[in-house]
Each structure stands twice: as structure tokens, then as C-alpha cells.
Amino acid sequence: MMNAPFPNAQRMHYEGAASSSTGHRTMINEAIILPKISADDQVAQRDVEEESNANATNMVLWRGNLVAEKEAMALRHVFDDMQDHFGHQRADPRVRFNANLVRPSRDGMWFGDLDFTYNINGEHCNLGYIGMDVCVDLCPKLVHKHGQLRLKNYGKSWVYVYLPQLTLDKFKSYVKTGTGWDVSNEGTVYDPNRNLVAIEAMLHHQTGQPKPSFWAVKDKDAHGDNMSFSRIGTVQEVNEHPHQQRVHRGVGIFSVSMEVEGSPNFKPTPRAGDEANLCFTLVSVRTWGVTDCVAPIVHAPNKWY
């Protein structure tokens, strides 16, 4: 078992993350699609979908989900073509971040979903999902000496995803530009030795919620537009197989919600010194293999739960 990479880090747990709502956004269910689909098949499917829905009122099918035409364009852009996502040595994504804080709680916390406006060949398309180059940690975790799970419900309701600090900083800068809010470090663990950040990514797991899909590359020697993926199950299902309990590198697609402290009667606005907490929910993974270059967290780096 590898050692934990964050021995000196403080773990900052976002307690409200598990209950964050996706609000108005479309709940995409990738399980509707056929288990295997190549890049050529994706193009053919698009043509059939668009032709069969030409007479509909701006509604088209995307992987069995009936969505608005512009939303389908954005879904293909992000999920199928994996464009405009954040990553190391990638061009800056052509996307604008937006947020509308609603639903104040009794203690004055306000919540909202981040929406993303993509510029796709001059068309501005809104979507509730964003992609990032990440490593997804499905490694087993240690338990307490009393036998209780230390990382409660790991692999079922949440997982760690690892990414470079520079990638997260770039993401935070987009939040600042689009919403005016600075972003706190809640829900993250920083490893100064490797300049990596671990994010606690939530997973939909309750009845009625589409669980996050896990897709593996079909040809590991393929590159760029020649890459195609096979859906091998949900993240929770893949996590049950011992041979898959590794750190997987690839692209994670997330929905992101925001929490800001305020008061029940007054909607908070960005001010100097105020910060928003972000909650990332992993909705899909595209992986092109496992890596031994990132040591997984194997126990809680701070006292919690």
C-alpha cells in the first residue's frame, strides 16, 4: 500500500456538500446509451437524432435524454468531444461561468448552481457541466482500529479526485471572473510536496438519481480525435472490482454548486474578504488508464467524522 501523499495537510470538509441540490439542471443519464460507442458511431447517432427530431420544437435526443437543441450541442461538446475542459498545458477553455444564489437556509447560507456558457463555433450554449483533467482515486481506504470505516461511504457517495494546483487556480479564476466571488479551500486537501490538490467529489447514489458513468478508452495507443471509449458501468460498480481499485487518470465531468454565507433576508453579494465554498459532483469519467505516479490518500489526513 502506498503512503498517503498529504501527511501535513489540513483537511477542510464541506459539510453541506452531500445535500447540495442540482436545482434546475437537466439530470443526464448516460446509462441510457448503448454500452459501447465508437467515434464514428457517435457521428452517425448525431445525424439520426437530429434528422428524427427536425420537426420538434427545438428539442433533440442526446443519448436517450430529450433536451433543448443548444443544450444537446453543449453536451456533445463536453461529453462526446471532451472540448473546453481544464487541464495542464491546455488552452484556456472558451467558457463563461455564471451563478444565481437562491434557496437561503435558516442559518443564512445561500446556495446556487454554477452554469457554464460555452462558445461553440460562435454559438453560446449553456450547460450545467464542466470537464477537468483529473486522477480519480478508487483505491481501498484504511479503517479505524475498532473496525469502523474512517472514510465513510468512500466510493459510494464520494471519492477523491486529484489535480494540479495550477488547474484548480485556473478554475477559481474563472469563478471569480464570472461571478465576482473568491473561492475558499473548503473540501480540498493540498499536497505542497507535489503541488497537487485532492477534491472531495460527491457521487449521486440515491434512488432516482443517475449514478456517475465510468468510461474506459478502447485503444490505449489512440490519440486525439481517434480515441473512443466504452462505458463499463457506474463509478460505484467499477469501485467494487479489486482490479479496478487503482488511481485512474483521465477527464472528470462535474456539476458544481456554490455556497455563500449571508442572512435569511438579504442575498449576499461579493465583497472583499468574502469567499464562496464550491461543491463538485462527479457525473462522468473518461479514463485512458491507471497511474502509479500519484500516491492515494489511504486514511483521513485530519481528524473528522
Side-chain angles (χ1 to χ4, degrees), residues 40-89:
D40 292 338
D41 292 337
Q42 289 174 2
V43 173
Q45 179 186 340
R46 293 179 194 179
D47 294 340
V48 171
E49 289 173 353
E50 290 170 356
E51 182 179 354
S52 64
N53 290 279
N55 296 324
T57 308
N58 297 323
M59 300 296 289
V60 298
L61 281 173
W62 179 81
R63 300 192 174 183
N65 301 271
L66 188 64
V67 297
E69 187 174 11
K70 277 197 171 183
E71 185 177 7
M73 185 184 299
L75 287 166
R76 295 168 187 140
H77 188 74
V78 173
F79 284 78
D80 297 341
D81 301 331
M82 294 189 295
Q83 296 296 307
D84 283 328
H85 62 270
F86 289 79
H88 183 56
Q89 296 182 339

Side-chain angles (χ1 to χ4, degrees), residues 44-229:
Q45 179 186 340
R46 293 179 194 179
D47 294 340
V48 171
E49 289 173 353
E50 290 170 356
E51 182 179 354
S52 64
N53 290 279
N55 296 324
T57 308
N58 297 323
M59 300 296 289
V60 298
L61 281 173
W62 179 81
R63 300 192 174 183
N65 301 271
L66 188 64
V67 297
E69 187 174 11
K70 277 197 171 183
E71 185 177 7
M73 185 184 299
L75 287 166
R76 295 168 187 140
H77 188 74
V78 173
F79 284 78
D80 297 341
D81 301 331
M82 294 189 295
Q83 296 296 307
D84 283 328
H85 62 270
F86 289 79
H88 183 56
Q89 296 182 339
R90 292 188 181 275
D92 289 348
R94 297 166 298 174
V95 59
R96 185 176 69 248
F97 288 27
N98 316 279
N100 181 30
L101 295 176
V102 293
R103 307 187 301 276
S105 62
R106 292 181 181 178
D107 60 0
M109 300 301 292
W110 288 66
F111 302 90
D113 295 320
L114 284 181
D115 287 314
F116 309 99
T117 303
Y118 293 90
N119 183 349
I120 306 173
N121 299 323
E123 292 277 354
H124 292 87
C125 306
N126 294 327
L127 191 66
Y129 304 100
I130 193 79
M132 291 193 291
D133 286 345
V134 296
C135 291
V136 179
D137 180 3
L138 299 185
C139 296
K141 306 304 172 190
L142 297 183
V143 298
H144 281 300
K145 59 184 178 181
H146 300 297
Q148 272 188 321
L149 283 175
R150 189 157 192 167
L151 300 181
K152 187 177 179 181
N153 292 325
Y154 190 84
K156 295 180 180 179
S157 64
W158 69 284
V159 293
Y160 279 124
V161 297
Y162 308 122
L163 68 162
Q165 179 70 53
L166 289 175
T167 301
L168 184 59
D169 287 344
K170 174 68 72 174
F171 188 92
K172 288 181 176 181
S173 74
Y174 273 62
V175 176
K176 174 69 173 179
T177 300
T179 71
W181 288 99
D182 291 308
V183 177
S184 75
N185 291 320
E186 287 285 338
T188 67
V189 182
Y190 176 55
D191 176 10
N193 297 317
R194 300 191 179 202
N195 207 23
L196 287 177
V197 179
I199 294 176
E200 300 168 25
M202 310 310 295
L203 305 174
H204 288 311
H205 63 284
Q206 297 177 346
T207 302
Q209 294 179 326
K211 294 181 175 63
S213 289
F214 194 99
W215 298 64
V217 69
K218 295 172 69 174
D219 182 359
K220 294 183 178 181
D221 295 325
H223 298 281
D225 294 338
N226 295 322
M227 296 182 71
S228 59
F229 297 81

Side-chain angles (χ1 to χ4, degrees), residues 233-248:
T234 67
V235 171
Q236 290 91 337
E237 290 169 345
V238 173
N239 185 58
E240 294 294 324
H241 295 282
H243 70 281
Q244 296 285 8
Q245 293 175 348
R246 306 280 299 279
V247 176
H248 298 261

